[in-house]
Amino acid sequence: MGSVPERRHTVIIGGGVVGFCIAYFIASHPHYNRETHAVTVLEASSIGGGASGKAGGVIATWADPSCIAPLSYRLHCELANKHDGIHAWGFRNVFCADVDAMGEAVGHATFEESHSHFHSHAVSAPSSSHYPPDLDWITSDKITSYTELGCPENTAQVHPHLFITRLAELATERGANYILGSATKLNYTEDGTKVKSVNYARKGTTELMEINASDIVIAAGPWATNILPEAPIKDSRNHSIVVRPRKPVSAYVLFPELHPKIPQKRIPPEIYSRPDGTIYSCGPSDTDVPLPKSTDLVEVNPEICNRIYGDISSISQAIREGEIITRQACYRPFVVGRARDIGPLVGPTGIEALWLASGHDSWGISNGPATGKVISEMILDGKASSADVSSLDPRLMLQKPFVLFRAFSLNNHRKMLTPFPKEAELNKQLESIGPARSGSFSLIRTDKPNSQCLRGRPRTLLHSSNLHQQLDCDLYTPDLDTLAPRLWLVATPSSSHINHHYEQIVKGCTIVISENPELHLVWTDNRIFIKPIPPYCYRTHSGPHSSCPRLPMPLNAYTSALALGYTRTYYHLVQHESDLHIAQQARLLPPEITLEQFQAFIAGFGDIQDDQVRHIGTLRLSRLNMWAKVFLRRFQFYRINRQYGEYFARFYAPILFFLAILTVVLGATQVGLQANSSSGDYYDSVALGKASPWFSVATLVCLCGIGLGLAFLLVFMQLRELVFAVKSIVRRRRGAAIEGAKKDLSP
């Protein structure tokens, strides 16, 4: 059990259900002391103003992910029993079911990708085909099938807004505090390994203030990326309505698939009856509407809300006779890059005292208490004991950028961020404008002010809203980052292994330009792949990061560090005038710069040590391909042989060598047997005679195994290409279906 410091201040960014659950469980922890421990929730607009206050509110043991869903259900029940949740926030047990229904052809459909679905119900959920008689507010002759997903023993419901507001009151009663203000920036200690405070602006003001903290938890849902851009969290907007029927209806949560009378399209709304006598329903998601700065700026499309009402009223007389009292929209956060049933990101980030609790998708209300419980244990006990949340560890997704930050101190980082003086910049034709909003920048070319694209990169738009992402892709090396701790298996990690350009020519290497950053300084046979320096790396930029005052324009701190290590390789590649000419002829460097200009630009990179950057030496492609099977779980790091003949040719030499050894051994055995037979040496002849048949059989088995192995490899490669082609066709058809559905959704 970890020791608790005398003075602690936990700051939670985000005043939704997850944020206040964390505040509540910290303030309820046995080690919490109001005299020595403060808890502050920082919320940009209003308590529960986002998805937390506009969700359906279903709670289930069979929810995703399975590692915390049962715990969270139990905690919900305990909270309701302890704080009169039945009356305070409408806690009640309910039935939950999938239903197929024949609705009216109301002209609305959607096909969603797997990560955008509201619910992918657990296969372990109980099922039943019995249609309950008390579900009388759904027109029975419209229902074609009824499959029970949950019952009152494992499924419950709360009114989300009532739950979050009451939870905020309970946390405040226990000593927590909340501030209406928007977090703008995290501040780190001098060594860059620990977060120490957060800057924020109070609601309605522009004045920046700072809160010192011993721990900071980011629980801001889809807005987590505003304060932690490296978080792989994406947003999806959803509309919902609240209908007040003429009389209360029975307690059911329904996930219907509505079929028009001519069943060409399917629509997936959700319907929740609530204890306050209302009916809540939410419709499909859309990802083409940008995330606003705060929850109070979320736009609502009345037409989409009317379509939701039309869809559900087609199977319910009670809804059709009711009145729409609320039309609303919210943004759900989900984790990019993995299956949605794995769950949110909950736990440490890799930076000391910085925690992440976001990406709960549709299960934020359900899993909020479990998230608060395990985060409180991590902070105050040093580890989570209530549930095994190792699969939710943010470091599984954040390890690439955060390992880089921990690799060197911030003081060294500051020096590396300005390795050349401003007068030594080699690109005077690129200026940064902005930021338009947090983390967003635009560029302008002073040589061609009307140009819309970056020089030499016609697809990189200077005023694009995702300019950061486009530039990041130019330098991002996820495979090498995964292999980074094990690169000693591939080559000696030393910049002394980087040969000058003229040395590469002397050794017979051909320089091949590669725009793929993964291949920079990778060699095979008589070729070495080198990436040209991007034009934006020739300038500095005074960015919005206080810890990173001048970045290679206009990258974030992580990608900037990658750019510095990558550009540093040219300090070793170009050291003589002949090296510069070779680089310019190969189009690695601009033709107009002189050796003196380049040396003034690159000289400062020589002060950067190998252990402070990523690109530190040349790598052999054959070894990368070999270890990719182990650590990347794929056959090759990078395939340069595109023909089967070239691919199989590399097996010929070792196979022939192996067969030659077998032939020599078999020949020697045959000679030995013949000699012993002629000389009459019985014992040696018997020994060889017994061994020879087995050795001959083993040789034949090896030959057959090699032949079958090569044949199997050929068939496997052909089948893999066939599967890839089939998947491509399916993706195209699915994309066409999604586009068609979006057109149907558009007003």
Side-chain angles (χ1 to χ4, degrees), residues 117 119 196 271 380 403 434 451 462 471 492 544 577 607 645 668 745:
H117 284 168
H119 297 278
K196 65 176 183 178
I271 306 174
L380 296 177
V403 165
S451 178
L462 300 177
L471 299 183
T492 303
E577 190 168 4
D607 297 331
L745 278 171

Side-chain angles (χ1 to χ4, degrees), residues 265-489:
K265 297 178 180 179
R266 303 168 69 88
I267 48 181
E270 300 179 10
I271 306 174
Y272 302 70
S273 64
R274 285 180 167 173
D276 62 356
T278 62
I279 297 174
Y280 168 94
S281 181
C282 56
S285 61
D286 53 58
T287 57
D288 55 351
V289 181
L291 183 72
K293 291 184 178 180
S294 61
T295 58
D296 51 2
L297 297 177
V298 175
E299 296 183 357
V300 179
N301 188 331
E303 181 63 27
I304 296 179
C305 294
N306 292 338
R307 287 174 179 169
I308 295 173
Y309 176 72
D311 292 340
I312 61 175
S313 64
S314 68
I315 62 171
S316 173
Q317 182 72 19
I319 295 177
R320 189 157 53 245
E321 294 177 351
E323 174 192 3
I324 301 178
I325 60 175
T326 303
R327 293 177 173 86
Q328 59 192 9
C330 63
Y331 284 80
R332 292 182 297 113
F334 60 89
V335 180
V336 181
R338 68 181 187 185
R340 68 175 304 280
D341 58 350
I342 295 178
L345 299 178
V346 178
T349 61
I351 292 293
E352 186 179 352
L354 182 62
W355 311 82
L356 181 62
S358 186
H360 289 73
D361 205 350
S362 305
W363 297 109
I365 297 294
S366 183
N367 291 327
T371 302
K373 182 73 171 178
V374 297
I375 286 290
S376 69
E377 293 171 344
M378 290 177 181
I379 293 176
L380 296 177
D381 295 336
K383 65 177 182 179
S385 56
S386 297
D388 179 7
V389 291
S390 56
S391 62
L392 310 182
D393 193 330
R395 290 170 295 186
L396 298 174
M397 307 292 288
L398 292 171
Q399 59 179 338
K400 299 176 179 65
F402 280 89
V403 165
L404 191 70
F405 273 118
R406 294 172 68 89
F408 47 84
S409 71
L410 192 58
N411 288 331
N412 288 334
H413 193 60
R414 284 197 180 99
K415 295 176 183 177
M416 291 190 297
L417 288 173
T418 55
F420 54 89
K422 190 169 183 64
E423 56 270 17
E425 293 176 345
L426 295 181
N427 188 349
K428 306 288 187 181
Q429 302 172 348
L430 203 60
E431 292 288 348
S432 173
I433 58 176
R437 63 183 180 90
S438 178
S440 177
F441 283 83
S442 297
L443 295 176
I444 186 171
R445 289 177 56 179
T446 56
D447 59 331
K448 294 182 178 180
N450 296 327
S451 178
Q452 299 297 316
C453 61
L454 191 63
R455 178 183 176 184
R457 284 165 172 75
R459 296 187 178 183
T460 303
L461 302 180
L462 300 177
H463 303 286
S464 173
S465 59
N466 63 341
L467 179 61
H468 265 300
Q469 288 83 352
Q470 295 183 50
L471 299 183
D472 288 352
C473 291
D474 213 15
L475 298 167
Y476 188 40
T477 55
D479 291 340
L480 284 179
D481 286 340
T482 301
L483 292 172
R486 310 169 187 91
L487 283 180
W488 60 271
L489 296 170

